[in-house]
Amino acid sequence: NSKFQCEPGETYIMNVMVSAHPYWVPVYQGFKQAAEAMGCETIFSGTPDYDITKQIASFEQDLVKQPAGILLHPMQSDPFIEPINRAIESGVDVVTFAADSPKSKRTAYITSDNLAEARFAAEEIVKQVGDSAEYAVLENPGQSNHDLRVTALIAYMEQNYPNMKLVGRQATNQDTSAAYRATASILQANPNLAAIWIPEAGSAEGAVAAILEAKAKVLIMHADITPTTLEHIKAGNIHMALNPNQGVQGFMGFIATYLAAHPDMFDPFNDYKVSGYNPMQIPFIDNGFAVITKENADSFDLNKYMEGRDPN
Amino acid sequence: MRTYGAEETGAAQRKPAGIAGALRQMLGMREVGLIAIILLLFIVMSFASPYFLTWVNMRAMAMAFAVEGIVVVGMTILLISGGIDLSVGSVTALAMVIAGLLFLAGFDPWTASAISILACLAIGAAMGFFVTRIGLHHFIVSLAVMVIARGICLLGTGGRPLGLYTLPPEFKFIGQGSLGVVPVVIVIFVVVVIAFDFMLRKTTMFRKVFYTGSNEKAAAYSGIRTKKVVFLTTTLCSGLCGVAGIIYMARFGSAQPTFGMGMELNVIAAAVIGGASLSGGVGTIFGAILGAILLSVVSSSLALLDVSVYWQDIIRGSILLAAVTIDHFINKRRKQRV
Amino acid sequence: MRTYGAEETGAAQRKPAGIAGALRQMLGMREVGLIAIILLLFIVMSFASPYFLTWVNMRAMAMAFAVEGIVVVGMTILLISGGIDLSVGSVTALAMVIAGLLFLAGFDPWTASAISILACLAIGAAMGFFVTRIGLHHFIVSLAVMVIARGICLLGTGGRPLGLYTLPPEFKFIGQGSLGVVPVVIVIFVVVVIAFDFMLRKTTMFRKVFYTGSNEKAAAYSGIRTKKVVFLTTTLCSGLCGVAGIIYMARFGSAQPTFGMGMELNVIAAAVIGGASLSGGVGTIFGAILGAILLSVVSSSLALLDVSVYWQDIIRGSILLAAVTIDHFINKRRKQRV
Amino acid sequence: MKTTMENDLVLKLSGVSKSFGPVQALRGVDFDLRRGEIHAIAGENGAGKSTLMNIVDGIIRPDSGEIYIDDELVEITSPAVAQRLGIGLVHQEIALCPDVSVAENICMCATSISRSLLMDFRAIEAKAKAALGTLCDVPPTALVRDLSISQQQLVEIAKALTLDCRVLILDEPTAALTEREAKILFGIMRRLADQGISIIYITHRMAEIFENCDRVTVFRDGQYVMTRDIREITPGDVVAAMVGRVIDNLYPAKLAAHERSDEVILAVRNLTDRARYRNVTFDLKKGEILGLAGLIGAGRSEIARGICRLEGETSGEVELYGRALRLRHYRDSIDHGIVYLSEDRKGDGIFLDMSIAANVSALSLELVATRFGIVDERREQDLATRLGRSLNLRYGDIRQAASALSGGNQQKVAIAKMLSVNPKVIFLDEPTRGVDVGAKAEIHRILRALAQDGVGILVISSELPELIGLCDRVLVVREGEITGEVAGDRMTENNIMYLASIEAGRAATA
Ligand SMILES: Nc1ncnc2c1ncn2[C@@H]1O[C@H](COP(=O)(O)OP(=O)(O)OP(=O)(O)O)[C@@H](O)[C@H]1O
Ligand SMILES: Nc1ncnc2c1ncn2[C@@H]1O[C@H](COP(=O)(O)OP(=O)(O)OP(=O)(O)O)[C@@H](O)[C@H]1O
Ligand SMILES: [Mg+2]
Ligand SMILES: [Mg+2]
């Protein structure tokens, strides 16, 4: 029997906020595929609401079930410090993904590198529209990964392409209508707008509608993907989307959680025995991102991917 | 709930003759304060930004509130009858989702839309049933329906937006086309507003809505079937959400299960700014639409001026507060004068 | 707004002697229906899940609503006086942010908290001013404040949570500590609930809140300064949001500018399920807390049972609707019997 | 009177019963109504009169009993059905839509059955104007919320007059009306009766029954007592049948000459409110009951409310026992012992969804609270029980909501609230509105006793016999000015009416 094998009934939980969001679907598929490969049980848990107290409650309820480990997307980092530490004390190991709680004792953190995404997007924009043009961003203040994608791109532009001019910066909070309105206004104020960077797909849908209506020629780039923006990419209305490798995130997330729960497999060359921490510590795993363009768009149809698969 | 200031009804007033008379009548309208505030905003903005008073910008601003405006119409009528509906956002999303799923299942988009609007009417009727037959409060019933309808959206789509790229162009025309220079969306919106504004002022059917909302007992004593009235206004409001959902679908070419979260507060705020009372009996479509315009113009203007996101909320809230305060005072003076 | 069924006031009833009397008195309480529904839920759940009736689960469920429960207390009192407050979520977040910023600026956490709660009281007082002096409606004023307060949160933090790791342990104790086995948060919650429940039932001061909400004019004609009452209840509600915000800060060890979005509907729903009327004059703290417990237990149970997320909203909404319907009928029967 | 129609029954009720929980409001009541008669119904507060009428109008369903219209058994399930059967009801409690114009309120019943799609505002206004016609000059476009309570009462009556009905029920329509409007109403009623319309008329004023009605039916405690032709019976008999005992002296004795005092309790000087009243000056002396008379809208209520600082921007001085008062709020006024009983009990007199006990103690929470501001429920309930008993209040449980009381009993609760404090001066605006004869006499007796104890009492009443019977002195108000004072022998209905009327105004300016 391989050591990479679960005991019967050994269960791993993936806990998220806004649990009906389609982003989690491929992540959980990856999580499940890894678990099946190793004969482990999985549970998808969390709260449907955008509510930190509810997510903490669901996390604490997960502990009642005595799982071997939890792959957690903490909605906010600091409020989870205490619950994560309590979980680890009670013998449930925790790995974070997509958002972190760095001050806690979680064993590992797996995510896509938002800075790398932003750098890639900036270079692509400059490549397409030149290094002295006007660009705008939509944003979603308060959600850290979206924030990072936007602020990093702006900072990168300022540093490397000082002639790129940021002419619009609007908060649209993933709301299609708000994005429509904001983009229409930005277009009004800036007829020479050449490119727009959007850190998520919901706003991109509104932005593309506004740009099509105004018959403007604006390069749209966004992160994440939805069926609608995918169609727009195929039609050439959206230039390109950067999508985190969700499946890898889930798959590697499971493995990291499994490892955290089985520290006895490993005797590393360090001080873990005296300091008492889990030897499976991994500060950061990058799951990478995919670049979606007209050419490869067909491979990113989530509805097609999910055909015949169980979302739970 | 409470209003300290009294408001008047939307009852049409007899017209005095002549231009002076017409002017006086206009100055006597409840909406004059709101119109003044919106004009002021327009004047300030056209100095602040050279792009503001362009046709394209006006068109974009109108597009931004036109569809939600249809929901505002339904909400206003419901508020006048003494009800309230928190489920408008979810039901609008549900209309998209139902029509989208049916379309993907092979129905032609018109049939799919018709079925979807019928489903919304059925949801409204169910809410009306719980309110009028069981005796629960609109607030709690529509809150439950808000949650349930959102759940159905998620269940139907797995939380993923439905891409409806294959919608035929004549259907997309509803949401994206233009009649001459005027977008179809705006035409539909204007027709809906004028029709309901007229009906609410002039028809016996809708006057009963005012009576019911103003004093349900008095209306019932006068032989009006107040429960039927409330049932119908509740149903109508959901039906108009259905219509709005279909237009959004045609416009965005997709059905979004998470669409319209928080829409209810915006819609109710528009109606209240426009003079509708949360305790029923008072309100006009015209005023409510002005309220919606005010909210939308403020948002669009802040975006046009590229105000820092961190300041936008503060400015938006303050303008809202200032506008209702000014409107309140203008209204008070006007009443004294007339 | 409308309720077809009339409800009675929360004024306490005279005690008949003996155990039978006490039992009869309990059966006569408005809350008996809610208690029955919650008990039923507990019984069903303890069969459905072996984890339900564990100490850890109970603790998790209690922690999930305890702090919000403090806001529910404020909202219930405000509703009784005839008001409503949509800004509770934003103001709670603002309390965290202000205290957090002050702490980071070098204030000791107790002073920072006191200043922050004072700031919340000031916000409540400002809302009270607009409502009672200017004459605007609570709904629209608190909606504007909801937007402004959220804006200040974003502006103050740049949208990023403030990490407050250096909070001294004796301060964190408020949010994370335990007295024996009972978390401090729950102790505070219970004390607040009992204190306000007692005051609302028994003191002349709070009796005036009922008079004002029941019939404001009659209250004014009884020499009650109704504007002052409304001003104070508005201020109190925001003040309790401030207290809740501080407790959250101690619990999370951070200040979250985006905290509490959508909290208002949850809080109002709890009060209404617990029997408070949206038109004022009716409600109890005890009932409102039971409402909060019901909502929270349903959410927690669905999470515990691993119900598919796509089904959770549908089930949650349906249970909410079923619960208020059942409660309505139990209440009707009870009234006829007594 | 119309002997030919004696057996022509339009409406017949038999064995009607109704209970509200433990309260049996009606027990097997019989009643019949002939074509073209004006049929009075008398009974104490809570006797079940309004309940019976609500049953006839389809607002309440009876527990048992039958209703016949033209000898045909009918089931009246809603006001709409009643309307179709030709039954119109003017409610005891005013039920109008405040945000809607007078004209639309008056024509609401017609609108509810109208088949036309569009409103004809012009026709509605004309119809409303015609119906209001002789009653009063309220503009049809005014909103009901801007009207005084008596004007609203007139609108209610006008609304009933537009109905094309065969049975018209008027439940205490004159409770807030002055003689003048009441006279006009009786003229209209007689005209309608002559056209063959049957009228049920409920009132607590004996004089009205005997001057205007053909027959009278008496109820007591939800039971039918008797029906008599008005010619066969005396007011004393009716009262005796209502109450179950004889009530002899309706008004308590007035001040004897030697009891008069010159000590002034309350002095009002040049009280002026820009639009509503001017230069109001009077003294309220120790031991006396002062009356305030006038036509509807004369400004009596507003003067009283102005003195108490309940509304209006007033100038002028108010002195209490020779000390100038500076009142800013009504609360100040209460603290000085000056209280006001409103004429609009439903609007601002009582808290319908609160208990009787809580209603009574609303003005005097301090009295029933401990030093620490904790309400002592026992004391609160005892207070309400004590005052309720002295006013003959009929209730099931002192903790039940005031909304379960009959109209007259609600009025008693409002009065009990006033009496619960120990005031120095009481302004009573239509205090006996809707109160039955027995309780009325009791209220008069209490007021007289209070006056004797040195409490200043000022009564506003639209019922002239009450003012004349109760007061030592009556001031007459016309269009916001005090036009005269009558006392002693000069205190007659004619003199008061003259001072209140336009003619006196013309004579004064001429
Ligand atoms: N909704 C109700 N709930 C409980 N009891 C009621 C209700 N309505 C009336 N009652 C009771 O029924 C009885 C009859 O009331 P009703 O209103 O018919 O009296 P009334 O003869 O019209 O008296 P009044 O002269 O005071 O108007 C009273 O004892 C009253 O308390
Ligand atoms: N809220 C109001 N708004 C506008 N006018 C009012 C209002 N209340 C009263 N009035 C007007 O003020 C005048 C005086 O009313 P008030 O009620 O004091 O008269 P009153 O002598 O007590 O007569 P009654 O009470 O019998 O109508 C009336 O013409 C009335 O129409
Ligand atoms: Mg009656
Ligand atoms: Mg009066």
Side-chain angles (χ1 to χ4, degrees):
Chain A
N1 240 358
S2 159
K3 276 188 176 176
F4 289 96
Q5 192 75 41
C6 277
E7 302 289 324
E10 189 174 328
T11 304
Y12 291 82
I13 297 179
M14 178 173 136
N15 184 304
V16 301
M17 62 156 188
V18 196
S19 47
H21 197 283
Y23 179 87
W24 314 122
V25 174
V27 180
Y28 186 62
Q29 291 304 316
F31 187 79
K32 235 172 30 175
Q33 288 175 34
E36 273 160 19
M38 296 161 70
C40 313
E41 310 273 319
T42 61
I43 295 175
F44 181 64
S45 127
T47 170
D49 303 291
Y50 188 75
D51 183 335
I52 178 86
T53 32
K54 283 201 180 134
Q55 201 196 351
I56 292 179
S58 79
F59 179 78
E60 291 181 344
Q61 287 180 307
D62 289 344
L63 301 182
V64 186
K65 296 175 185 161
Q66 298 275 318
I70 299 177
L71 179 64
L72 172 70
H73 172 84
M75 176 177 158
Q76 302 284 4
S77 53
D78 299 333
F80 266 100
I81 297 174
E82 193 263 345
I84 289 175
N85 292 351
R86 194 144 37 82
I88 289 170
E89 263 161 46
S90 74
V92 180
D93 286 283
V94 180
V95 170
T96 54
F97 76 101
D100 194 14
S101 180
K103 298 271 191 310
S104 72
K105 296 186 185 147
R106 51 81 185 146
T107 320
Y109 172 42
I110 176 160
T111 186
S112 44
D113 185 347
N114 299 129
L115 296 175
E117 289 163 357
R119 273 198 303 275
F120 184 94
E123 288 293 350
E124 179 68 21
I125 286 172
V126 169
K127 198 167 111 196
Q128 297 296 330
V129 304
D131 66 356
S132 54
E134 292 184 353
Y135 76 100
V137 295
L138 299 184
E139 60 181 322
N140 179 20
Q143 185 162 332
S144 57
N145 56 336
H146 295 170
D147 263 354
L148 211 52
R149 282 171 181 160
V150 169
T151 49
L153 179 125
I154 294 171
Y156 187 83
M157 287 289 195
E158 275 168 2
Q159 212 158 40
N160 300 297
Y161 301 102
N163 291 332
M164 289 298 291
K165 194 164 156 233
L166 177 64
V167 293
R169 180 172 187 177
Q170 290 299 321
T172 55
N173 304 40
Q174 314 190 53
D175 178 334
T176 307
S177 286
Y180 171 87
R181 187 182 343 226
T183 310
S185 297
I186 293 175
L187 272 175
Q188 282 317 301
N190 309 285
N192 296 324
L193 185 72
I196 186 164
W197 167 239
I198 305 160
E200 30 82 24
S203 296
E205 291 188 19
V208 75
I211 285 167
L212 287 179
E213 250 168 44
K215 301 195 171 63
K217 244 190 91 56
V218 178
L219 181 91
I220 306 174
M221 286 198 60
H222 73 92
D224 300 347
I225 195 77
T226 66
T228 311
T229 58
L230 199 65
E231 292 299 336
H232 280 297
I233 290 172
K234 286 187 202 163
N237 300 328
I238 291 176
H239 174 65
M240 139 187 316
L242 306 181
N243 195 46
N245 284 328
Q246 291 142 295
V248 174
Q249 196 167 63
F251 193 89
M252 296 306 290
F254 179 85
I255 297 199
T257 316
Y258 178 87
L259 292 177
H262 295 270
D264 48 329
M265 285 166 62
F266 186 36
D267 185 9
F269 168 62
N270 64 26
D271 64 340
Y272 78 97
K273 277 180 190 150
V274 270
S275 64
Y277 68 79
N278 191 321
M280 298 294 187
Q281 297 281 346
I282 312 164
F284 171 65
I285 307 172
D286 183 355
N287 54 249
F289 60 91
V291 177
I292 307 177
T293 58
K294 222 184 229 177
E295 286 69 39
N296 65 0
D298 280 330
S299 316
F300 292 89
D301 186 335
L302 185 54
N303 289 320
K304 226 181 263 168
Y305 175 74
M306 284 306 290
E307 269 167 29
R309 290 174 204 263
D310 176 10
N312 286 302
Chain B
M1 303 208 177
R2 146 198 347 273
T3 9
Y4 282 97
E7 302 284 333
E8 82 235 60
T9 168
Q13 316 241 322
R14 185 179 293 186
K15 283 185 199 73
I19 297 177
L23 201 73
R24 188 131 36 82
Q25 200 208 354
M26 228 190 72
L27 283 177
M29 276 165 59
R30 200 228 158 277
E31 288 82 8
V32 68
L34 260 183
I35 295 178
I37 294 169
I38 294 176
L39 278 182
L40 185 76
L41 213 77
F42 264 71
I43 293 170
V44 171
M45 274 307 295
S46 51
F47 280 102
S49 163
Y51 307 107
F52 187 76
L53 272 186
T54 58
W55 166 246
V56 188
N57 186 48
M58 289 298 130
R59 185 177 167 286
M61 289 204 308
M63 287 292 283
F65 70 79
V67 194
E68 205 168 284
I70 294 175
V71 180
V72 171
V73 169
M75 182 69 88
T76 307
I77 297 172
L78 181 56
L79 285 173
I80 293 172
S81 77
I84 196 166
D85 187 354
L86 300 176
S87 73
V88 287
S90 301
V91 172
T92 304
L94 187 58
M96 288 190 188
V97 167
I98 293 177
L101 287 175
L102 288 175
F103 173 69
L104 293 179
F107 282 78
D108 82 289
W110 307 100
T111 318
S113 302
I115 295 175
S116 159
I117 292 174
L118 281 178
C120 292
L121 287 170
I123 291 172
M127 287 199 279
F129 173 83
F130 274 96
V131 171
T132 58
R133 295 291 141 190
I134 312 270
L136 302 178
H137 196 289
H138 260 114
F139 186 92
I140 206 79
V141 172
S142 64
L143 185 68
V145 169
M146 162 176 145
V147 177
I148 296 174
R150 186 67 68 194
I152 299 177
C153 287
L154 295 176
L155 188 67
T157 62
R160 299 181 290 278
L162 304 173
L164 306 172
Y165 230 68
T166 49
L167 278 174
E170 65 272 18
F171 186 81
K172 281 192 198 153
F173 182 74
I174 302 174
Q176 302 172 5
S178 289
L179 290 172
V181 287
V182 188
V184 179
V185 170
I186 294 176
V187 174
I188 297 176
F189 164 72
V190 170
V191 169
V192 168
V193 167
I194 290 179
F196 278 99
D197 190 71
F198 174 81
M199 290 198 284
L200 205 57
R201 273 175 213 276
K202 302 281 183 182
T203 64
T204 49
M205 199 171 55
F206 279 98
R207 290 307 297 172
K208 291 180 193 167
V209 174
F210 280 96
Y211 303 158
T212 304
S214 183
N215 184 346
E216 201 191 348
K217 234 175 167 178
Y221 289 175
S222 305
I224 291 167
R225 296 185 21 213
T226 54
K227 292 193 176 185
K228 198 175 115 188
V229 169
V230 173
F231 179 84
L232 289 178
T233 54
T234 311
T235 310
L236 175 66
C237 181
S238 295
L240 286 175
C241 291
V243 173
I246 297 302
I247 299 177
Y248 274 123
M249 182 176 86
R251 177 149 154 221
F252 293 127
S254 73
Q256 311 198 19
T258 55
F259 186 85
M261 284 180 174
M263 189 206 245
E264 62 282 355
L265 289 185
N266 224 11
V267 168
I268 297 170
V272 172
I273 295 171
S277 156
L278 288 170
S279 30
V282 179
T284 62
I285 301 282
F286 183 46
I289 292 304
L290 287 176
I293 291 179
L294 178 67
L295 290 177
S296 178
V297 169
V298 169
S299 288
S300 296
S301 301
L302 289 173
L304 196 65
L305 294 178
D306 201 25
V307 174
S308 146
V309 271
Y310 301 120
W311 277 104
Q312 281 200 14
D313 276 347
I314 300 179
I315 297 174
R316 226 154 34 118
S318 308
I319 290 182
L320 172 58
L321 201 54
V324 284
T325 307
I326 295 170
D327 180 54
H328 183 79
F329 279 117
I330 292 180
N331 234 1
K332 227 163 149 182
R333 298 251 339 224
R334 179 184 60 79
K335 268 199 176 159
Q336 280 169 0
R337 201 159 33 78
V338 175
Chain C
M1 302 206 181
R2 141 197 354 266
T3 9
Y4 282 95
E7 302 283 334
E8 81 234 61
T9 168
Q13 321 232 321
R14 184 183 289 188
K15 281 183 200 74
I19 297 176
L23 201 72
R24 188 132 35 84
Q25 200 208 355
M26 228 190 72
L27 282 177
M29 275 165 58
R30 199 228 159 277
E31 289 82 8
V32 67
L34 261 182
I35 296 178
I37 293 169
I38 293 175
L39 277 183
L40 185 76
L41 214 76
F42 264 72
I43 295 169
V44 170
M45 274 307 295
S46 51
F47 281 101
S49 164
Y51 307 114
F52 187 75
L53 274 184
T54 58
W55 169 246
V56 184
N57 186 46
M58 289 295 134
R59 185 181 170 285
M61 290 203 310
M63 288 292 281
F65 70 79
V67 194
E68 204 167 285
I70 294 175
V71 180
V72 171
V73 169
M75 182 69 87
T76 307
I77 296 173
L78 181 56
L79 285 173
I80 293 172
S81 77
I84 196 165
D85 187 353
L86 300 177
S87 73
V88 287
S90 302
V91 171
T92 305
L94 187 59
M96 289 190 190
V97 168
I98 292 177
L101 286 174
L102 288 174
F103 173 70
L104 292 179
F107 284 77
D108 83 286
W110 307 100
T111 318
S113 302
I115 295 175
S116 160
I117 291 173
L118 281 179
C120 291
L121 286 170
I123 291 171
M127 287 199 280
F129 172 83
F130 274 98
V131 171
T132 59
R133 294 291 142 190
I134 311 269
L136 302 178
H137 196 289
H138 260 113
F139 186 92
I140 205 80
V141 172
S142 64
L143 184 68
V145 168
M146 161 176 146
V147 177
I148 295 174
R150 186 67 68 194
I152 299 176
C153 286
L154 293 177
L155 189 66
T157 61
R160 287 176 293 281
L162 304 173
L164 308 169
Y165 318 104
T166 49
L167 279 174
E170 65 271 20
F171 186 82
K172 281 193 198 152
F173 182 75
I174 301 175
Q176 302 174 6
S178 289
L179 291 171
V181 286
V182 188
V184 179
V185 170
I186 293 174
V187 174
I188 297 177
F189 163 73
V190 170
V191 169
V192 168
V193 167
I194 290 179
F196 278 98
D197 190 69
F198 174 81
M199 290 199 284
L200 202 59
R201 273 177 213 276
K202 300 279 184 180
T203 64
T204 55
M205 201 171 51
F206 280 97
R207 177 64 82 76
K208 291 179 187 167
V209 175
F210 280 100
Y211 288 133
T212 303
S214 176
N215 183 345
E216 200 193 347
K217 228 166 146 211
Y221 276 41
S222 302
I224 293 164
R225 300 228 194 112
T226 53
K227 292 193 175 186
K228 199 174 114 188
V229 169
V230 173
F231 179 84
L232 289 178
T233 53
T234 311
T235 310
L236 175 67
C237 181
S238 296
L240 287 175
C241 292
V243 173
I246 298 302
I247 299 175
Y248 275 125
M249 183 175 85
R251 174 156 165 220
F252 297 151
S254 73
Q256 314 277 340
T258 55
F259 184 83
M261 284 180 177
M263 189 205 248
E264 62 281 354
L265 288 185
N266 225 9
V267 169
I268 297 170
V272 172
I273 294 170
S277 154
L278 288 170
S279 31
V282 178
T284 63
I285 302 282
F286 183 47
I289 293 303
L290 287 176
I293 292 178
L294 177 67
L295 289 177
S296 180
V297 169
V298 169
S299 287
S300 299
S301 301
L302 290 174
L304 194 67
L305 292 179
D306 292 325
V307 173
S308 150
V309 273
Y310 307 120
W311 277 103
Q312 282 198 20
D313 276 346
I314 299 178
I315 297 174
R316 224 155 35 123
S318 308
I319 290 182
L320 171 58
L321 200 54
V324 285
T325 306
I326 295 169
D327 179 55
H328 182 80
F329 280 116
I330 291 180
N331 232 2
K332 227 161 147 181
R333 299 249 343 217
R334 178 186 59 82
K335 267 198 180 162
Q336 279 169 1
R337 198 158 33 79
V338 174
Chain D
M1 312 224 160
K2 299 215 164 33
T3 43
T4 51
M5 293 183 182
E6 218 137 75
N7 295 317
D8 192 2
L9 292 188
V10 179
L11 172 72
K12 184 167 142 48
L13 308 176
S14 78
V16 175
S17 295
K18 174 72 191 174
S19 62
F20 298 99
V23 178
Q24 185 85 30
L26 291 172
R27 305 162 206 254
V29 166
D30 297 329
F31 178 77
D32 59 51
L33 182 67
R34 295 172 190 160
R35 183 176 311 286
E37 74 166 342
I38 302 181
H39 192 138
I41 297 184
E44 280 187 288
N45 295 133
K49 306 180 294 293
S50 300
T51 306
L52 189 66
M53 296 307 118
N54 284 335
I55 287 172
V56 172
D57 200 43
I59 293 165
I60 296 177
R61 305 297 310 277
D63 298 339
S64 63
E66 281 126 37
I67 304 175
Y68 298 89
I69 301 260
D70 291 334
D71 287 331
E72 201 174 313
L73 182 64
V74 292
E75 200 171 339
I76 306 177
T77 51
S78 73
V81 173
Q83 204 179 323
R84 228 172 296 136
L85 289 168
I87 298 167
L89 170 61
V90 175
H91 290 267
Q92 181 175 15
E93 297 302 340
I94 289 165
L96 295 170
C97 295
D99 312 297
V100 173
S101 72
V102 168
E104 281 191 75
N105 264 291
I106 288 177
C107 300
M108 198 172 284
C109 298
T111 307
S112 78
I113 51 171
S114 162
R115 291 192 178 279
S116 75
L117 202 60
L118 294 184
M119 296 287 286
D120 185 347
F121 287 104
R122 226 172 265 272
I124 281 176
E125 253 171 56
K127 196 170 166 192
K129 211 171 217 140
L132 283 168
T134 45
L135 278 169
C136 65
D137 53 359
V138 177
T141 51
L143 294 186
V144 164
R145 73 153 76 249
D146 295 331
L147 302 185
S148 76
I149 197 76
S150 27
Q151 288 171 323
Q152 293 184 17
Q153 182 76 63
L154 290 170
V155 171
E156 276 273 15
I157 293 170
K159 183 175 171 182
L161 295 181
T162 63
L163 291 179
D164 190 14
C165 58
R166 302 154 57 214
V167 176
L168 178 61
I169 307 169
L170 299 156
D171 194 349
E172 300 193 32
T174 54
L177 299 190
T178 62
E179 208 95 336
R180 194 172 69 101
E181 291 81 20
K183 279 232 164 63
I184 298 172
L185 175 64
F186 295 135
I188 296 171
M189 277 163 56
R190 184 47 71 194
R191 213 174 57 230
L192 292 175
D194 289 343
Q195 290 165 13
I197 293 171
S198 314
I199 296 173
I200 300 176
Y201 186 75
I202 300 177
T203 186
H204 291 293
R205 298 181 183 174
M206 284 304 134
E208 287 180 356
I209 296 179
F210 283 86
E211 283 164 24
N212 304 294
C213 301
D214 301 321
R215 291 200 299 164
V216 57
T217 293
V218 178
F219 289 120
R220 185 167 73 228
D221 287 338
Q223 273 167 316
Y224 171 83
V225 178
M226 62 172 194
T227 302
R228 290 284 184 280
D229 204 296
I230 218 75
R231 288 164 303 185
E232 311 167 345
I233 198 169
T234 68
D237 299 338
V238 173
V239 171
M242 274 166 61
V243 187
R245 65 193 150 90
V246 179
I247 293 198
D248 35 31
N249 196 353
L250 277 178
Y251 293 103
K254 297 192 186 185
L255 278 185
H258 66 272
E259 286 171 323
R260 288 186 196 286
S261 153
D262 276 338
E263 192 182 342
V264 174
I265 299 177
L266 186 79
V268 177
R269 298 282 174 269
N270 293 321
L271 196 75
T272 299
D273 177 297
R274 220 162 27 100
R276 308 193 178 167
Y277 44 85
R278 290 159 300 282
N279 294 324
V280 173
T281 299
F282 66 88
D283 288 335
L284 175 55
K285 299 201 181 104
K286 191 164 185 172
E288 73 170 352
I289 296 180
L290 184 61
L292 215 51
L295 297 178
I296 284 185
R300 298 162 299 170
S301 306
E302 282 172 332
I303 290 171
R305 287 201 283 254
I307 296 170
C308 302
R309 306 299 305 123
L310 268 162
E311 63 174 38
E313 290 297 313
T314 57
S315 63
E317 290 96 56
V318 177
E319 289 176 11
L320 185 66
Y321 286 114
R323 281 207 2 250
L325 294 183
R326 231 190 242 109
L327 308 176
R328 281 172 305 131
H329 305 280
Y330 181 44
R331 187 75 237 177
D332 297 343
S333 167
I334 293 177
D335 290 343
H336 282 95
I338 304 173
V339 296
Y340 170 80
L341 170 69
S342 169
E343 61 186 326
D344 179 8
R345 67 163 168 262
K346 206 168 137 212
D348 41 44
I350 64 170
F351 305 94
L352 280 173
D353 49 9
M354 297 186 75
S355 71
I356 299 172
N359 264 284
V360 172
S361 54
L363 200 59
S364 53
L365 275 175
E366 296 75 23
L367 281 180
V368 297
T370 64
R371 264 183 304 143
F372 309 106
I374 310 287
V375 177
D376 182 337
E377 277 141 34
R378 175 130 323 162
R379 229 150 68 188
E380 181 175 47
Q381 289 166 14
D382 289 346
L383 176 75
T385 314
R386 188 164 48 77
L387 287 167
R389 198 177 308 125
S390 74
L391 290 169
N392 193 20
L393 182 69
R394 299 280 182 84
Y395 57 87
D397 188 320
I398 206 82
R399 293 166 302 180
Q400 83 190 131
S403 57
L405 295 177
S406 78
N409 282 312
Q410 291 179 2
Q411 181 70 20
K412 291 177 192 168
V413 169
I415 295 175
K417 180 172 81 171
M418 290 298 132
L419 301 180
S420 69
V421 287
N422 292 316
K424 294 201 180 78
V425 177
I426 316 183
F427 295 97
L428 299 122
D429 201 347
E430 312 284 359
T432 56
R433 193 183 154 203
V435 171
D436 63 41
V437 275
K440 206 170 188 173
E442 195 55 32
I443 291 169
H444 291 154
R445 206 189 51 71
I446 292 174
L447 292 182
R448 181 50 73 185
L450 285 172
Q452 257 156 13
D453 291 347
V455 178
I457 308 240
L458 186 143
V459 176
I460 299 171
S461 175
S462 299
E463 199 183 346
L464 283 183
E466 177 176 44
L467 281 182
I468 292 168
L470 178 67
C471 300
D472 300 298
R473 216 153 47 94
V474 172
L475 302 173
V476 184
V477 182
R478 182 175 53 79
E479 288 172 7
E481 280 177 271
I482 294 187
T483 50
E485 175 187 328
V486 291
D489 296 339
R490 292 197 54 241
M491 202 152 71
T492 63
E493 297 201 12
N494 278 340
N495 281 349
I496 294 176
M497 284 309 289
Y498 177 75
L499 286 169
S501 64
I502 316 292
E503 291 87 65
R506 287 214 194 90
T509 46

